[in-house]
Amino acid sequence: MYLKDDSKLSYSEKHITYKIKSGDTLQNVARELNIEPRLLRAYHNIHCNLPDLIEADFPYQLDYLILAPEKVALTDEEREKKRAKVVFNDSPLCLSLNYARVDTTYGVLYTIENGDKTHTIKQKINVKWKAKSDNDFYFFEITRIGKIYINDTEADTMAEDIAEKASAALYPLIVVVDATGKWVDINNFEQVKKRWTTTKKEIQKYYKGAFIEKYFSIYDKTLENSDNLYLSLSKDWFLCALFNGIHVQYPPTLIIQKETGFPFITKEENISYQVDQTLDDYLDVDNFIIVAIKGNLNDERSKTDFDNALNIKVNEYTEERPIGTYRAKYFLNPNNYFPESVFVSCDLALDVTQKYTISISNLNDTKEQVIATRQKIFIDESKPQKKWWQF
């Protein structure tokens, strides 16, 4: 292990690192370094390049594991004294998006565990503040950057290539976020629809046949109107994780009990969980604001209902409801209250256990940030209207 400070060096040379040897696994390296595997993975994933994100184990091309700098051991009393109180700028115990003038690129890792099978998707996504309306709606531009990696490999089948080209027509996507931090609408639908028309013609130059036409019909239906597109994107894991209703006024207990949903199949209702959402009014040792969410499955569907939706073979119908857990943790920038990193995990205890995990990490170089101006910025392209899904 070594440490160098030359700013011109690669990230593996600017950090304390561990050189990966042949035969090394996350578990045996963790034992060797006497660090919990989840802590090794979490710190590395925050600071590494996107292809080097660690999932269940090291990716095959990984040369260096990035390690957290050693910290002087403090007593519990010293640690408590060292932690600073969160500063709330609008009102006590209120997290607001008023200061989220962000332009952040995230590395995003999706992990789907289906029994003993694990699949991963990696991508980069940029989130940029656009504006705030006079009725407390916020506008963020979402842009996908570069290729999507499926199980550490670029899209290489015809179906994957078509899906990647088609989904690229959605971006840049401008989403509308309400005062609680939940995304509720799409602001640039007409632009998206126009891009899809152009993209469709480009795909047709290279691919033809019944499969293509069926795929196009699905996209055409989705883009018939903004409501259809919104309903489709309501299953987007990244949007649901990042804009998850954490920017609210917290009670003196710092705990909000609520129901939250997690998308698992496009044509099915989200999995429903009853959770406690907790704000820590002290910064953690890395000076992040922490919002933790945890709870249990609270869904009317039976094991068989879920099995059928997931195309899992059912030998005998049962009314028994599965158990499941939901865990999420948000590390927020103390200056703008926007996520620096997010970890969301939920599971379903079926005969074939299902687990879904999202890891979102800021890839930008960290730097000191100043509280943004409170001046409002207005946007008029399409003000959000009251819709049937807004009560």
Side-chain angles (χ1 to χ4, degrees):
M1 291 183 287
Y2 58 91
L3 176 62
K4 295 182 180 180
D5 295 319
D6 190 334
S7 62
K8 295 182 180 180
L9 297 177
S10 67
Y11 76 84
S12 63
E13 296 173 304
K14 290 190 291 183
H15 294 267
I16 299 174
T17 60
Y18 172 90
K19 173 67 175 174
I20 303 293
K21 304 186 297 292
S22 177
D24 274 346
T25 67
L26 177 63
Q27 296 295 327
N28 66 35
V29 171
R31 283 194 296 271
E32 180 181 338
L33 299 178
N34 196 28
I35 304 173
E36 290 184 46
R38 64 179 181 84
L39 297 178
L40 278 179
R41 178 170 47 224
Y43 188 86
H44 174 91
N45 285 351
I46 288 174
H47 294 90
C48 73
N49 292 331
L50 182 62
D52 292 339
L53 285 169
I54 297 172
E55 304 146 17
D57 213 332
F58 301 139
Y60 70 91
Q61 80 285 354
L62 186 64
D63 292 322
Y64 293 95
L65 172 66
I66 302 174
L67 303 178
E70 294 184 7
K71 297 179 180 179
V72 178
L74 300 175
T75 67
D76 290 343
E77 184 179 354
E78 288 172 331
R79 289 172 62 88
E80 191 63 32
K81 287 181 179 179
K82 185 177 178 65
R83 293 175 64 199
K85 291 272 287 185
V86 176
V87 176
F88 299 99
N89 289 288
D90 289 340
S91 61
L93 304 182
C94 179
L95 296 180
S96 167
L97 285 171
N98 286 334
Y99 313 99
R101 275 40 172 201
V102 297
D103 187 355
T104 303
T105 297
Y106 294 102
V108 187
L109 169 65
Y110 312 96
T111 304
I112 303 100
E113 298 177 54
N114 182 358
D116 58 357
K117 298 178 181 179
T118 300
H119 300 282
T120 62
I121 302 171
K122 296 177 183 178
Q123 63 181 156
K124 290 182 182 180
I125 297 177
N126 180 263
V127 178
K128 185 177 182 179
W129 165 281
K130 297 299 290 184
K132 178 185 177 183
S133 72
D134 55 357
N135 52 352
D136 291 330
F137 286 94
Y138 304 86
F139 298 77
F140 291 90
E141 181 181 81
I142 313 297
T143 305
R144 198 181 74 191
I145 301 172
K147 295 287 187 178
I148 293 177
Y149 292 81
I150 301 173
N151 296 328
D152 284 325
T153 304
E154 289 186 25
D156 57 359
T157 67
M158 180 186 74
E160 289 172 345
D161 187 48
I162 293 170
E164 183 171 346
K165 284 182 167 63
S167 64
L170 300 176
Y171 303 98
L173 181 74
I174 298 179
V175 298
V176 185
V177 180
D178 69 15
T180 73
K182 293 282 287 185
W183 86 277
V184 295
D185 202 2
I186 298 162
N187 181 254
N188 63 331
F189 170 74
E190 292 301 327
Q191 294 176 4
V192 172
K193 188 172 183 179
K194 185 176 180 180
R195 281 200 300 268
W196 167 239
T197 301
T198 302
T199 300
K200 183 177 176 180
K201 292 178 181 178
E202 289 297 316
I203 295 174
Q204 286 173 324
K205 291 179 181 178
Y206 301 97
Y207 299 105
K208 299 184 184 300
F211 170 79
I212 304 301
E213 294 307 316
K214 183 177 180 180
Y215 194 91
F216 283 163
S217 68
I218 295 172
Y219 252 77
D220 289 339
K221 181 68 175 178
T222 299
L223 290 167
E224 273 186 351
N225 54 62
S226 61
D227 282 343
N228 282 5
L229 181 57
Y230 172 82
L231 289 172
S232 175
L233 289 176
S234 67
K235 305 295 183 180
D236 184 281
W237 284 8
F238 176 79
L239 292 176
C240 291
L242 194 69
F243 301 110
N244 196 15
I246 63 171
H247 291 87
V248 293
Q249 178 80 52
Y250 287 80
T253 61
L254 303 176
I255 300 175
I256 295 173
Q257 294 183 328
K258 70 176 189 179
E259 186 174 300
T260 193
F262 187 90
F264 77 119
I265 294 181
T266 302
K267 295 182 179 180
E268 294 290 329
E269 292 293 325
N270 289 354
I271 308 174
S272 180
Y273 296 88
Q274 187 66 36
V275 300
D276 289 340
Q277 180 170 299
T278 305
L279 168 68
D280 192 334
D281 61 344
Y282 281 86
L283 300 176
D284 74 351
V285 293
D286 295 312
N287 291 324
F288 290 125
I289 300 172
I290 303 297
V291 176
I293 306 175
K294 61 180 181 179
N296 298 308
L297 188 70
N298 183 32
D299 201 292
E300 296 295 323
R301 284 167 287 188
S302 67
K303 281 187 176 182
T304 303
D305 292 332
F306 283 112
D307 284 335
N308 288 335
L310 291 162
N311 292 320
I312 297 174
K313 184 178 179 181
V314 177
N315 295 319
E316 183 177 352
Y317 181 82
T318 176
E319 292 286 348
E320 181 185 359
R321 294 180 186 173
I323 60 174
T325 60
Y326 181 98
R327 297 288 185 272
K329 201 161 190 178
Y330 291 78
F331 298 83
L332 308 183
N333 185 302
N335 292 309
N336 58 32
Y337 308 142
F338 207 74
E340 291 289 315
S341 59
V342 179
F343 300 92
V344 179
S345 177
C346 74
D347 59 60
L348 276 173
L350 306 175
D351 290 337
V352 178
T353 300
Q354 308 294 310
K355 185 175 181 180
Y356 313 96
T357 306
I358 308 169
S359 174
I360 303 171
S361 301
N362 184 354
L363 300 180
N364 295 356
D365 292 333
T366 57
K367 58 184 179 181
E368 186 177 354
Q369 299 190 43
V370 180
I371 293 294
T373 175
R374 294 175 185 242
Q375 180 180 356
K376 293 182 179 180
I377 304 175
F378 298 95
I379 190 165
D380 297 317
E381 181 179 339
S382 60
K383 291 184 178 180
Q385 303 294 319
K386 190 77 170 180
K387 299 191 176 184
W388 64 266
W389 41 261
Q390 292 176 285
F391 299 98

